[in-house]
Short mmCIF file of all heavy atoms in Angstrom, two decimals:
data_model
loop_
_atom_site.label_atom_id
_atom_site.label_comp_id
_atom_site.label_asym_id
_atom_site.label_seq_id
_atom_site.Cartn_x
_atom_site.Cartn_y
_atom_site.Cartn_z
N PHE G 158 5.52 -12.48 -3.37
CA PHE G 158 5.13 -11.56 -2.30
C PHE G 158 6.22 -10.53 -2.02
O PHE G 158 7.41 -10.85 -1.98
CB PHE G 158 4.82 -12.32 -1.01
CG PHE G 158 4.45 -11.43 0.14
CD1 PHE G 158 3.28 -10.69 0.12
CD2 PHE G 158 5.29 -11.31 1.23
CE1 PHE G 158 2.94 -9.85 1.18
CE2 PHE G 158 4.97 -10.47 2.29
CZ PHE G 158 3.79 -9.75 2.27
N HIS G 159 5.78 -9.27 -1.84
CA HIS G 159 6.66 -8.18 -1.42
C HIS G 159 6.12 -7.58 -0.13
O HIS G 159 4.96 -7.15 -0.10
CB HIS G 159 6.72 -7.07 -2.48
CG HIS G 159 7.27 -7.50 -3.79
ND1 HIS G 159 8.61 -7.38 -4.12
CD2 HIS G 159 6.67 -8.05 -4.88
CE1 HIS G 159 8.80 -7.81 -5.36
NE2 HIS G 159 7.63 -8.23 -5.83
N GLU G 160 6.92 -7.56 0.92
CA GLU G 160 6.51 -6.88 2.15
C GLU G 160 6.91 -5.42 2.04
O GLU G 160 8.08 -5.06 2.22
CB GLU G 160 7.15 -7.52 3.38
CG GLU G 160 6.64 -6.94 4.69
CD GLU G 160 7.16 -7.65 5.92
OE1 GLU G 160 7.68 -8.78 5.79
OE2 GLU G 160 7.04 -7.07 7.02
N ILE G 161 5.94 -4.58 1.71
CA ILE G 161 6.18 -3.17 1.42
C ILE G 161 5.10 -2.32 2.09
O ILE G 161 3.92 -2.69 2.07
CB ILE G 161 6.18 -2.90 -0.10
CG1 ILE G 161 7.41 -3.52 -0.75
CG2 ILE G 161 6.11 -1.41 -0.42
CD1 ILE G 161 7.41 -3.42 -2.26
N ASP G 162 5.50 -1.20 2.63
CA ASP G 162 4.55 -0.19 3.10
C ASP G 162 4.34 0.78 1.94
O ASP G 162 5.26 1.47 1.52
CB ASP G 162 5.12 0.53 4.32
CG ASP G 162 4.11 1.47 4.96
OD1 ASP G 162 3.22 1.97 4.24
OD2 ASP G 162 4.22 1.71 6.17
N LEU G 163 3.14 0.83 1.43
CA LEU G 163 2.86 1.65 0.24
C LEU G 163 2.96 3.14 0.51
O LEU G 163 3.02 3.93 -0.45
CB LEU G 163 1.47 1.30 -0.30
CG LEU G 163 1.33 -0.12 -0.85
CD1 LEU G 163 -0.14 -0.44 -1.12
CD2 LEU G 163 2.15 -0.32 -2.11
N SER G 164 3.00 3.54 1.76
CA SER G 164 3.22 4.96 2.05
C SER G 164 4.68 5.36 1.83
O SER G 164 5.01 6.54 1.85
CB SER G 164 2.78 5.31 3.47
OG SER G 164 3.60 4.68 4.43
N ASN G 165 5.55 4.37 1.59
CA ASN G 165 6.94 4.61 1.23
C ASN G 165 7.00 4.84 -0.27
O ASN G 165 6.88 3.91 -1.06
CB ASN G 165 7.81 3.42 1.64
CG ASN G 165 9.29 3.62 1.35
OD1 ASN G 165 9.66 4.18 0.31
ND2 ASN G 165 10.13 3.15 2.25
N GLN G 166 7.17 6.09 -0.67
CA GLN G 166 7.08 6.45 -2.09
C GLN G 166 8.12 5.73 -2.93
O GLN G 166 7.82 5.21 -4.01
CB GLN G 166 7.20 7.97 -2.24
CG GLN G 166 6.90 8.49 -3.65
CD GLN G 166 8.14 8.49 -4.54
OE1 GLN G 166 9.26 8.59 -4.04
NE2 GLN G 166 7.94 8.39 -5.84
N GLN G 167 9.37 5.69 -2.46
CA GLN G 167 10.43 5.08 -3.25
C GLN G 167 10.22 3.58 -3.41
O GLN G 167 10.40 3.03 -4.50
CB GLN G 167 11.80 5.34 -2.61
CG GLN G 167 12.98 4.86 -3.46
CD GLN G 167 12.99 5.48 -4.85
OE1 GLN G 167 13.02 6.69 -5.00
NE2 GLN G 167 12.96 4.64 -5.89
N ALA G 168 9.83 2.91 -2.33
CA ALA G 168 9.60 1.47 -2.40
C ALA G 168 8.45 1.15 -3.35
O ALA G 168 8.51 0.17 -4.12
CB ALA G 168 9.30 0.92 -1.01
N THR G 169 7.40 1.96 -3.33
CA THR G 169 6.25 1.72 -4.21
C THR G 169 6.62 1.98 -5.66
O THR G 169 6.24 1.22 -6.56
CB THR G 169 5.07 2.61 -3.79
OG1 THR G 169 4.78 2.39 -2.40
CG2 THR G 169 3.83 2.30 -4.61
N GLN G 170 7.38 3.04 -5.90
CA GLN G 170 7.83 3.33 -7.26
C GLN G 170 8.69 2.20 -7.80
O GLN G 170 8.50 1.75 -8.96
CB GLN G 170 8.63 4.63 -7.27
CG GLN G 170 9.18 5.01 -8.65
CD GLN G 170 10.00 6.29 -8.61
OE1 GLN G 170 9.73 7.19 -7.83
NE2 GLN G 170 11.02 6.36 -9.45
N THR G 171 9.60 1.69 -7.00
CA THR G 171 10.47 0.58 -7.42
C THR G 171 9.65 -0.67 -7.71
O THR G 171 9.93 -1.40 -8.67
CB THR G 171 11.51 0.29 -6.33
OG1 THR G 171 12.30 1.47 -6.11
CG2 THR G 171 12.41 -0.86 -6.72
N LEU G 172 8.64 -0.93 -6.89
CA LEU G 172 7.76 -2.09 -7.10
C LEU G 172 7.12 -2.03 -8.48
O LEU G 172 7.14 -3.02 -9.23
CB LEU G 172 6.68 -2.10 -6.02
CG LEU G 172 5.54 -3.11 -6.20
CD1 LEU G 172 6.04 -4.53 -5.96
CD2 LEU G 172 4.37 -2.79 -5.27
N PHE G 173 6.54 -0.90 -8.83
CA PHE G 173 5.87 -0.78 -10.13
C PHE G 173 6.88 -0.85 -11.28
O PHE G 173 6.60 -1.47 -12.31
CB PHE G 173 5.08 0.52 -10.20
CG PHE G 173 3.71 0.43 -9.60
CD1 PHE G 173 3.50 0.66 -8.25
CD2 PHE G 173 2.61 0.09 -10.39
CE1 PHE G 173 2.23 0.57 -7.70
CE2 PHE G 173 1.34 0.00 -9.85
CZ PHE G 173 1.14 0.24 -8.49
N GLU G 174 8.05 -0.25 -11.11
CA GLU G 174 9.06 -0.29 -12.17
C GLU G 174 9.59 -1.70 -12.39
O GLU G 174 9.88 -2.09 -13.53
CB GLU G 174 10.21 0.65 -11.81
CG GLU G 174 9.84 2.13 -11.87
CD GLU G 174 10.94 3.03 -11.35
OE1 GLU G 174 11.90 2.51 -10.73
OE2 GLU G 174 10.83 4.26 -11.55
N THR G 175 9.67 -2.46 -11.32
CA THR G 175 10.21 -3.82 -11.40
C THR G 175 9.19 -4.81 -11.93
O THR G 175 9.48 -5.63 -12.81
CB THR G 175 10.71 -4.28 -10.02
OG1 THR G 175 11.70 -3.36 -9.55
CG2 THR G 175 11.31 -5.68 -10.09
N GLU G 176 7.98 -4.75 -11.39
CA GLU G 176 6.96 -5.77 -11.70
C GLU G 176 6.14 -5.46 -12.96
O GLU G 176 5.66 -6.35 -13.63
CB GLU G 176 6.04 -5.96 -10.51
CG GLU G 176 6.71 -6.57 -9.28
CD GLU G 176 7.13 -8.03 -9.51
OE1 GLU G 176 6.85 -8.59 -10.59
OE2 GLU G 176 7.75 -8.60 -8.60
N LYS G 177 5.94 -4.19 -13.26
CA LYS G 177 5.18 -3.78 -14.45
C LYS G 177 3.85 -4.54 -14.58
O LYS G 177 3.60 -5.23 -15.57
CB LYS G 177 6.01 -3.98 -15.72
CG LYS G 177 7.29 -3.15 -15.74
CD LYS G 177 8.08 -3.41 -17.01
CE LYS G 177 9.28 -2.50 -17.11
NZ LYS G 177 10.26 -2.70 -16.01
N PRO G 178 2.95 -4.42 -13.58
CA PRO G 178 1.68 -5.14 -13.65
C PRO G 178 0.76 -4.58 -14.74
O PRO G 178 0.81 -3.39 -15.06
CB PRO G 178 1.07 -4.91 -12.27
CG PRO G 178 1.64 -3.59 -11.84
CD PRO G 178 3.04 -3.56 -12.38
N LYS G 179 -0.09 -5.45 -15.28
CA LYS G 179 -1.09 -5.02 -16.26
C LYS G 179 -2.32 -4.44 -15.56
O LYS G 179 -2.92 -3.49 -16.04
CB LYS G 179 -1.52 -6.20 -17.15
CG LYS G 179 -0.49 -6.58 -18.19
CD LYS G 179 -0.40 -5.51 -19.26
CE LYS G 179 0.53 -5.92 -20.39
NZ LYS G 179 0.67 -4.84 -21.40
N ARG G 180 -2.70 -5.09 -14.46
CA ARG G 180 -3.86 -4.63 -13.70
C ARG G 180 -3.47 -4.55 -12.23
O ARG G 180 -2.58 -5.28 -11.77
CB ARG G 180 -5.05 -5.57 -13.86
CG ARG G 180 -5.57 -5.65 -15.29
CD ARG G 180 -6.69 -6.66 -15.43
NE ARG G 180 -7.04 -6.84 -16.84
CZ ARG G 180 -7.82 -7.82 -17.29
NH1 ARG G 180 -8.34 -8.69 -16.45
NH2 ARG G 180 -8.10 -7.92 -18.57
N VAL G 181 -4.15 -3.68 -11.51
CA VAL G 181 -3.89 -3.53 -10.08
C VAL G 181 -5.21 -3.63 -9.32
O VAL G 181 -6.18 -2.95 -9.66
CB VAL G 181 -3.21 -2.17 -9.78
CG1 VAL G 181 -3.09 -1.96 -8.26
CG2 VAL G 181 -1.84 -2.11 -10.44
N LEU G 182 -5.22 -4.48 -8.30
CA LEU G 182 -6.34 -4.57 -7.38
C LEU G 182 -5.84 -4.05 -6.04
O LEU G 182 -5.07 -4.72 -5.34
CB LEU G 182 -6.82 -6.02 -7.26
CG LEU G 182 -7.98 -6.29 -6.30
CD1 LEU G 182 -9.19 -5.43 -6.62
CD2 LEU G 182 -8.37 -7.76 -6.31
N HIS G 183 -6.25 -2.84 -5.70
CA HIS G 183 -5.74 -2.16 -4.51
C HIS G 183 -6.71 -2.35 -3.35
O HIS G 183 -7.76 -1.70 -3.28
CB HIS G 183 -5.54 -0.66 -4.80
CG HIS G 183 -5.05 0.10 -3.61
ND1 HIS G 183 -3.86 -0.17 -2.99
CD2 HIS G 183 -5.61 1.13 -2.92
CE1 HIS G 183 -3.68 0.66 -1.97
NE2 HIS G 183 -4.74 1.45 -1.90
N LEU G 184 -6.33 -3.24 -2.44
CA LEU G 184 -7.15 -3.55 -1.28
C LEU G 184 -6.47 -3.16 0.03
O LEU G 184 -7.08 -3.26 1.10
CB LEU G 184 -7.49 -5.04 -1.26
CG LEU G 184 -8.22 -5.57 -2.50
CD1 LEU G 184 -8.32 -7.09 -2.46
CD2 LEU G 184 -9.61 -4.95 -2.62
N ALA G 185 -5.21 -2.77 -0.04
CA ALA G 185 -4.49 -2.39 1.18
C ALA G 185 -5.07 -1.11 1.76
O ALA G 185 -5.35 -0.16 1.03
CB ALA G 185 -3.01 -2.19 0.85
N ALA G 186 -5.24 -1.09 3.07
CA ALA G 186 -5.76 0.10 3.75
C ALA G 186 -5.64 -0.12 5.25
O ALA G 186 -5.52 -1.26 5.72
CB ALA G 186 -7.22 0.35 3.38
N GLN G 187 -5.69 0.97 5.98
CA GLN G 187 -5.88 0.88 7.43
C GLN G 187 -7.39 0.79 7.66
O GLN G 187 -8.11 1.75 7.39
CB GLN G 187 -5.31 2.09 8.13
CG GLN G 187 -5.64 2.16 9.63
CD GLN G 187 -5.12 0.98 10.41
OE1 GLN G 187 -3.94 0.66 10.34
NE2 GLN G 187 -5.99 0.30 11.14
N PRO G 188 -7.90 -0.37 8.11
CA PRO G 188 -9.34 -0.53 8.28
C PRO G 188 -9.80 -0.10 9.65
O PRO G 188 -8.99 0.22 10.54
CB PRO G 188 -9.53 -2.03 8.09
CG PRO G 188 -8.27 -2.62 8.67
CD PRO G 188 -7.18 -1.63 8.36
N GLY G 189 -11.11 -0.09 9.84
CA GLY G 189 -11.69 0.10 11.16
C GLY G 189 -12.26 1.49 11.39
O GLY G 189 -11.51 2.44 11.53
N VAL G 190 -13.59 1.58 11.44
CA VAL G 190 -14.25 2.86 11.71
C VAL G 190 -13.91 3.35 13.11
O VAL G 190 -13.49 4.49 13.32
CB VAL G 190 -15.77 2.72 11.53
CG1 VAL G 190 -16.49 3.95 12.09
CG2 VAL G 190 -16.13 2.53 10.06
N ARG G 191 -14.06 2.49 14.10
CA ARG G 191 -13.90 2.91 15.49
C ARG G 191 -12.45 3.26 15.79
O ARG G 191 -12.16 4.20 16.54
CB ARG G 191 -14.40 1.81 16.43
CG ARG G 191 -15.92 1.63 16.35
CD ARG G 191 -16.39 0.34 16.96
NE ARG G 191 -17.80 0.10 16.63
CZ ARG G 191 -18.38 -1.09 16.68
NH1 ARG G 191 -17.68 -2.15 17.03
NH2 ARG G 191 -19.65 -1.22 16.36
N HIS G 192 -11.51 2.50 15.25
CA HIS G 192 -10.09 2.76 15.49
C HIS G 192 -9.69 4.15 14.98
O HIS G 192 -8.82 4.80 15.55
CB HIS G 192 -9.26 1.68 14.80
CG HIS G 192 -7.80 1.71 15.13
ND1 HIS G 192 -7.30 1.39 16.38
CD2 HIS G 192 -6.71 2.03 14.38
CE1 HIS G 192 -5.99 1.50 16.38
NE2 HIS G 192 -5.60 1.89 15.19
N SER G 193 -10.36 4.59 13.91
CA SER G 193 -9.99 5.88 13.32
C SER G 193 -10.37 7.06 14.22
O SER G 193 -9.85 8.16 14.05
CB SER G 193 -10.66 6.05 11.94
OG SER G 193 -12.05 6.28 12.05
N LEU G 194 -11.25 6.84 15.18
CA LEU G 194 -11.67 7.93 16.06
C LEU G 194 -10.52 8.41 16.94
O LEU G 194 -10.39 9.60 17.23
CB LEU G 194 -12.84 7.48 16.95
CG LEU G 194 -14.10 6.95 16.24
CD1 LEU G 194 -15.15 6.58 17.26
CD2 LEU G 194 -14.63 7.97 15.25
N ASP G 195 -9.67 7.48 17.36
CA ASP G 195 -8.59 7.81 18.29
C ASP G 195 -7.19 7.71 17.69
O ASP G 195 -6.22 8.13 18.30
CB ASP G 195 -8.66 6.89 19.52
CG ASP G 195 -9.96 7.03 20.29
OD1 ASP G 195 -10.40 8.18 20.49
OD2 ASP G 195 -10.55 6.00 20.66
N HIS G 196 -7.10 7.12 16.50
CA HIS G 196 -5.79 6.91 15.87
C HIS G 196 -5.84 7.37 14.42
O HIS G 196 -5.80 6.55 13.49
CB HIS G 196 -5.39 5.43 15.96
CG HIS G 196 -5.37 4.88 17.35
ND1 HIS G 196 -6.49 4.36 17.96
CD2 HIS G 196 -4.36 4.80 18.26
CE1 HIS G 196 -6.16 3.96 19.18
NE2 HIS G 196 -4.88 4.22 19.39
N PRO G 197 -5.92 8.67 14.18
CA PRO G 197 -6.11 9.15 12.81
C PRO G 197 -4.88 9.01 11.91
O PRO G 197 -5.03 8.83 10.70
CB PRO G 197 -6.45 10.63 13.00
CG PRO G 197 -5.83 10.99 14.32
CD PRO G 197 -5.95 9.76 15.17
N GLN G 198 -3.68 9.07 12.47
CA GLN G 198 -2.49 9.15 11.63
C GLN G 198 -2.29 7.94 10.70
O GLN G 198 -1.95 8.12 9.52
CB GLN G 198 -1.23 9.36 12.48
CG GLN G 198 -0.04 9.88 11.69
CD GLN G 198 -0.33 11.19 10.99
OE1 GLN G 198 -0.98 12.07 11.53
NE2 GLN G 198 0.12 11.32 9.75
#
């Protein structure tokens, strides 16, 4: 496990360079339709 914020470009680049995955399943996201109405950032 790596605790990383993927919006951090350098941390994400280092992750891929270090781990060299064959496949990626990207499920990380800010969820919630209603929350997005008042908290867009």
Side-chain angles (χ1 to χ4, degrees):
F158 178 67
H159 298 267
E160 186 174 344
I161 290 174
D162 187 332
L163 294 169
S164 67
N165 182 321
Q166 189 272 334
Q167 186 57 58
T169 305
Q170 179 181 327
T171 300
L172 171 72
F173 275 88
E174 290 173 348
T175 302
E176 293 293 357
K177 299 179 174 62
K179 285 290 185 183
R180 297 176 188 168
V181 174
L182 179 55
H183 179 60
L184 302 171
Q187 172 60 53
V190 168
R191 292 165 191 159
H192 189 69
S193 73
L194 303 181
D195 299 316
H196 303 87
Q198 198 58 40

